[in-house]
Amino acid sequence: MSSFHHHHPTTALLLLLVLVTSALSCPDECRCRGKDGVVYCNERDLTSAPESIPPDTKILFLQSNAIESSQEVQERLEPLTSLVRLVLDQNNLVSFPDRLPVSLTKLSINRNGMKFVGKNALSRLTNLKQLELEFNNITNAGFVSNVPLENVLSLRELLLAHNSLTAVPRGLPATIEVLNLNSNRINSLPEDIIRHMTSLEKLYLQDNLIQIVEGDLSALNQLSLLDLSKNQLREIPYMLPGNLSDLRMSSNRIRYIYKEKGVNTKGQVHGDLQNLKKLEQFDVSGNLLESVEFDSFKSLPINGRLSIGLENNPWRCDCNLKYLKRWLTSHTDAIVTSRESNIQCTTPTDFSQVAIGSMDLDAFRCTRTEHLFDVHDVTSHGFSITYDASQSMEAPYVKMWLMYGLAKCEDSCDDDSLERDDITATSWFSSYKMMEILSPRVNVVELAPRASHLVCVLSANQDPNRVCLDQCDLVRTLNNDVIPGGGMNPLPTEYEEGTGGETAPREKRVIPNWAIVTLSCVIAIAFVIAMFALVLWKVRNNKRHHHKRHHLRYHGGNGGATGGAGMIRMTGNVPPFIMQRTTPPSQMTSHSAPPNIVDADHEFDVALMTTRHKSPPPANGNHGNGGGGRKYPSDSCCYSDSHADSIETTATVTSLQHGGRDYVTSSEAMSYHPHHDVIGNGGYGGYHVNSSGVV
């Protein structure tokens, strides 16, 4: 006991000395809270890090100064082995300090104009969990993550917003849970850069230049928030993680929301919302949205927590928007983030600025017609068309069909015959077939040679009986033995069965050039001989007529054995096309006969003329060439999706694949069912074939 009492005063003095030393070591320009290990040196106009910072400091605030030297910072802070948080915001550091205390878990160097972060600087910070480098001038060339950060395995948050990055940095640790890259210059999001970041929960990419999200993001199965607002996206990303609860894509260039992921008719890859069963917030306001495909929202959870932003979009209020109208009306428990009056129609102009919620469902109608195809490569048995889907007014998810068949007008068909505004295209068909347009180029084969065919393009929403003629063209197939440019028809579009069940083109029949030249010479010589014989016959025939004029006589009076009253009879060599005619008796008597009758053969050359029957010209006088320039009243035929009955037809839908192209080769009976209730029949109008061939 005596020993303890002897040493106790010494121990107390040592403790007191440590406390006094700690208090005295706080720099004059700082304020220290020794008990908590917090030192405040912020907003002191410091140009360098202060000296004599207490060695047991845990949190150091140095923001809002004018510190420039990274070298000086690392020399004065490296001894602080207990430091866990360092704040250097709003200084003038242009490079990252190399030797900071290994004990750091949170480091903030925002708003410094920093340009370079070396790999050695971060690789030694093995305990770092949060790194903030926002509002600097960091580029991809100046960021260490171009070399993988293998040792920084504890990093959870990386904040790089408001820098000059043009791509997501490579080699980021897989442990990152929050990555903020807002307000950079990033133009793409490649799959291979982030797919290893399986711990990522929140990804902020707002206000960049991203046009497409490449690849599959579904591997990020922990991602709950994805912010892609204020970019240049044209489509919803292809594969989104199913764990998403917050998807932000406002202020982009998205035009359509699709039911299923895939490639649209314009060749653009797009995603869908089918896998997002946990979604609670979905914002697509301020885009270029025109319509939503049927059933696009069917997988969204309706639990009273779903919030949707649809305002400030140029909605096209036609039949394709019926689904969205129905969905908004029936799912009143979904929270629309904007007032209903802000979800307005832009087109058609008759409904401009009308709130979608205030319109009747029957008002959403399709009334458009258009002509966006060209006919090419006409042969004796077929032709090709190219369809320009990029210029179509239809939504890319709407299926387009080719309607073609023999025209009733046959030999009298011409483009002027199409100038009729009182009939529909179906009244011009003797029979017709239909096939879906699956590619920009479609080949039609096995047609009759030397025949007129009507070909039209229509959408799946359109009743074939309401197709306008301005959606059609007349195509006349060539003779069976003639092709453009001369020679025999090689029948390039006919196909026969090859070995192994494949279809192979028939062998082309081509006449050698020497045979064509010989045939041409023979025809020319025969023509010269025929012309010479014709002239010789004409001369001899004229002489014969001169000697037989006395055979022409006039017979009058009240009739006789050879003629009736008032009849001129011509005898001798009279051409067969000169017909007898009767003259009233009051104008001709037996005493008024002229002394001489002149032979009409030498006075007239008679040519037989024939005309083709043509349809009457249009009342408005408009003429065209089968293209889109023709004008027709929209109420006479044209486009409508409101029909109560299905339409039976003998039209057939057939296809044959060869060489990557579609060919029509066979037929079945089919029926067309135009949709008039989008929700009711599960889709838009289409064509359905049954086994009996009768609907």
Side-chain angles (χ1 to χ4, degrees):
M1 290 292 294
S2 60
S3 176
F4 174 79
H5 287 290
H6 176 74
H7 293 286
H8 183 67
T10 305
T11 304
L13 289 173
L14 289 174
L15 291 174
L16 179 62
L17 181 63
V18 169
L19 292 174
V20 171
T21 304
S22 177
L24 294 175
S25 65
C26 185
D28 294 338
E29 57 268 49
C30 302
R31 180 171 59 89
C32 300
R33 198 167 66 190
K35 181 172 129 178
D36 300 324
V38 180
V39 178
Y40 298 92
C41 301
N42 54 298
E43 300 179 4
R44 302 303 173 95
D45 295 327
L46 299 176
T47 57
S48 62
E51 298 179 305
S52 303
I53 298 176
D56 60 345
T57 299
K58 296 180 180 179
I59 301 175
L60 176 59
F61 293 99
L62 285 170
Q63 73 269 25
S64 302
N65 285 291
I67 300 174
E68 297 180 355
S69 174
S70 298
Q71 181 70 23
E72 195 174 67
V73 168
Q74 63 195 29
E75 289 176 356
R76 295 181 180 180
L77 300 186
E78 187 178 11
L80 305 179
T81 56
S82 298
L83 191 65
V84 294
R85 183 182 179 189
L86 174 62
V87 180
L88 283 166
D89 296 348
Q90 292 181 294
N91 279 280
N92 298 324
L93 297 172
V94 294
S95 62
F96 196 94
D98 279 344
R99 297 189 306 275
L100 292 175
V102 177
S103 57
L104 277 174
T105 60
K106 294 184 179 180
L107 175 59
S108 177
I109 314 180
N110 299 318
R111 299 180 184 274
N112 271 263
M114 184 175 295
K115 297 181 179 181
F116 181 77
V117 181
K119 61 180 180 179
N120 294 329
L122 287 177
S123 61
R124 67 191 307 268
L125 299 178
T126 55
N127 296 306
L128 191 63
K129 294 183 179 180
Q130 179 177 320
L131 176 60
E132 299 181 20
L133 297 172
E134 298 183 327
F135 292 93
N136 284 290
N137 295 322
I138 300 173
T139 64
N140 287 83
F143 193 66
V144 67
S145 59
N146 287 314
V147 177
L149 303 176
E150 297 177 353
N151 296 329
V152 192
L153 299 179
S154 58
L155 191 62
R156 298 292 183 267
E157 295 186 28
L158 178 58
L159 310 183
L160 288 167
H162 298 276
N163 277 283
S164 300
L165 298 171
T166 56
V168 178
R170 291 184 176 274
L172 296 178
T175 56
I176 292 180
E177 298 174 354
V178 178
L179 178 59
N180 191 335
L181 295 168
N182 287 344
S183 302
N184 277 276
R185 301 174 186 174
I186 299 171
N187 53 32
S188 65
L189 184 60
E191 173 189 358
D192 62 329
I193 293 182
I194 62 173
R195 64 184 172 190
H196 68 285
M197 301 174 66
T198 54
S199 299
L200 194 61
E201 297 178 3
K202 297 180 181 180
L203 177 57
Y204 298 91
L205 289 163
Q206 181 187 127
D207 192 21
N208 277 281
L209 305 173
I210 300 173
Q211 298 182 17
I212 185 171
V213 177
E214 302 174 11
D216 185 356
L217 300 183
S218 60
L220 307 179
N221 50 24
Q222 299 299 317
L223 191 65
S224 61
L225 185 152
L226 177 59
D227 189 353
L228 289 166
S229 54
K230 296 184 180 179
N231 277 278
Q232 298 179 11
L233 291 173
R234 297 181 181 274
E235 303 290 350
I236 292 176
Y238 184 72
M239 291 289 288
L240 292 172
N243 195 53
L244 276 178
S245 61
D246 190 347
L247 179 57
R248 307 174 188 178
M249 293 189 295
S250 62
S251 301
N252 278 279
R253 299 180 181 180
I254 301 172
R255 295 185 63 187
Y256 305 100
I257 298 177
Y258 295 87
K259 174 184 176 181
E260 298 176 345
K261 62 182 65 66
V263 180
N264 61 33
T265 57
K266 300 182 180 180
Q268 299 169 337
V269 178
H270 60 81
D272 57 25
L273 306 175
Q274 298 304 320
N275 192 40
L276 307 183
K277 301 183 184 299
K278 297 182 180 180
L279 199 61
E280 296 181 0
Q281 180 172 332
F282 177 51
D283 189 1
V284 284
S285 60
N287 274 272
L288 301 177
L289 282 171
E290 297 181 13
S291 65
V292 178
E293 188 177 4
F294 178 80
D295 266 357
S296 293
F297 294 163
K298 71 177 182 179
S299 296
L300 297 183
I302 307 300
N303 50 19
R305 294 180 297 177
L306 180 62
S307 175
I308 297 183
L310 298 171
E311 70 274 14
N312 300 324
N313 281 292
W315 296 107
R316 187 168 70 199
C317 294
D318 61 7
C319 61
N320 296 318
L321 205 63
K322 279 186 174 182
Y323 169 72
L324 179 61
K325 165 67 178 178
R326 276 276 181 91
W327 193 89
L328 291 174
T329 302
S330 59
H331 296 87
T332 55
D333 50 352
I335 302 172
V336 179
T337 58
S338 62
R339 292 184 304 170
E340 185 179 6
S341 58
N342 289 339
I343 307 176
Q344 300 176 347
C345 302
T346 298
T347 56
T349 54
D350 291 344
F351 298 150
S352 178
Q353 297 184 343
V354 176
I356 293 176
S358 66
M359 294 177 59
D360 296 333
L361 190 64
D362 292 341
F364 293 84
R365 296 172 58 87
C366 292
T367 56
R368 300 180 303 280
T369 61
E370 52 189 341
H371 182 287
L372 296 172
F373 69 94
D374 294 305
V375 179
H376 306 280
D377 303 331
V378 180
T379 67
S380 60
H381 291 271
F383 57 86
S384 300
I385 73 157
T386 53
Y387 175 69
D388 189 0
S390 64
Q391 301 299 319
S392 175
M393 294 175 61
E394 291 289 356
Y397 54 77
V398 176
K399 294 181 179 179
M400 302 302 294
W401 291 79
L402 182 67
M403 180 181 185
Y404 66 97
L406 282 171
K408 291 180 180 179
C409 53
E410 298 180 354
D411 290 341
S412 62
C413 290
D414 54 33
D415 283 340
D416 289 340
S417 301
L418 288 179
E419 301 296 333
R420 297 288 300 273
D421 56 8
D422 57 341
I423 57 176
T424 58
T426 50
S427 63
W428 274 61
F429 285 110
S430 297
S431 63
Y432 65 86
K433 298 179 181 180
M434 297 187 70
M435 64 181 296
E436 184 180 351
I437 298 176
L438 300 175
S439 61
R441 185 180 180 92
V442 179
N443 297 317
V444 180
V445 299
E446 295 190 356
L447 301 180
R450 198 178 180 182
S452 295
H453 301 266
L454 193 64
V455 53
C456 313
V457 171
L458 64 154
S459 79
N461 294 331
Q462 192 171 7
D463 180 353
N465 290 321
R466 298 291 300 275
V467 174
C468 278
L469 289 178
D470 66 346
Q471 296 175 246
C472 308
D473 264 348
L474 272 173
V475 181
R476 185 169 180 82
T477 50
L478 304 178
N479 294 340
N480 195 35
D481 57 348
V482 178
I483 61 172
M488 297 297 292
N489 188 356
L491 303 179
T493 56
E494 290 191 319
Y495 289 78
E496 61 185 5
E497 293 297 324
T499 59
E502 299 178 354
T503 55
R506 291 180 180 177
E507 184 178 356
K508 296 183 178 181
R509 298 174 295 175
V510 180
I511 297 178
N513 291 335
W514 63 266
I516 297 175
V517 174
T518 302
L519 181 61
S520 300
C521 293
V522 171
I523 293 174
I525 294 172
F527 178 77
V528 172
I529 295 174
M531 291 300 297
F532 179 78
L534 180 62
V535 172
L536 183 61
W537 175 84
K538 193 71 173 176
V539 172
R540 295 185 61 184
N541 194 48
N542 288 343
K543 291 181 179 180
R544 187 189 309 161
H545 284 191
H546 179 73
H547 293 291
K548 292 185 177 182
R549 288 185 181 179
H550 61 278
H551 289 287
L552 294 176
R553 292 291 185 269
Y554 176 81
H555 300 272
N558 295 325
T562 60
M567 178 174 291
I568 298 178
R569 171 168 294 182
M570 298 185 180
T571 61
N573 189 16
V574 182
F577 52 80
I578 299 180
M579 308 298 295
Q580 292 180 340
R581 72 178 181 183
T582 303
T583 305
S586 61
Q587 298 181 16
M588 238 178 144
T589 66
S590 59
H591 302 288
S592 61
N596 296 306
I597 301 298
V598 179
D599 186 355
D601 285 354
H602 301 288
E603 300 296 328
F604 302 96
D605 287 328
V606 181
L608 295 179
M609 305 293 290
T610 62
T611 60
R612 294 179 179 176
H613 172 70
K614 293 185 179 181
S615 301
N620 58 9
N622 292 333
H623 296 276
N625 57 1
R630 291 188 287 270
K631 307 296 182 182
Y632 298 90
S634 60
D635 56 348
S636 62
C637 54
C638 302
Y639 198 127
S640 174
D641 63 312
S642 301
H643 303 278
D645 301 321
S646 65
I647 298 138
E648 289 193 4
T649 174
T650 58
T652 57
V653 182
T654 56
S655 65
L656 170 67
Q657 293 290 332
H658 179 81
R661 298 180 178 176
D662 297 318
Y663 296 89
V664 177
T665 59
S666 61
S667 61
E668 294 184 274
M670 69 89 178
S671 175
Y672 168 81
H673 300 269
H675 85 286
H676 47 92
D677 185 309
V678 177
I679 299 296
N681 64 10
Y684 297 96
Y687 304 90
H688 306 281
V689 180
N690 59 26
S691 59
S692 64
V694 179
V695 178

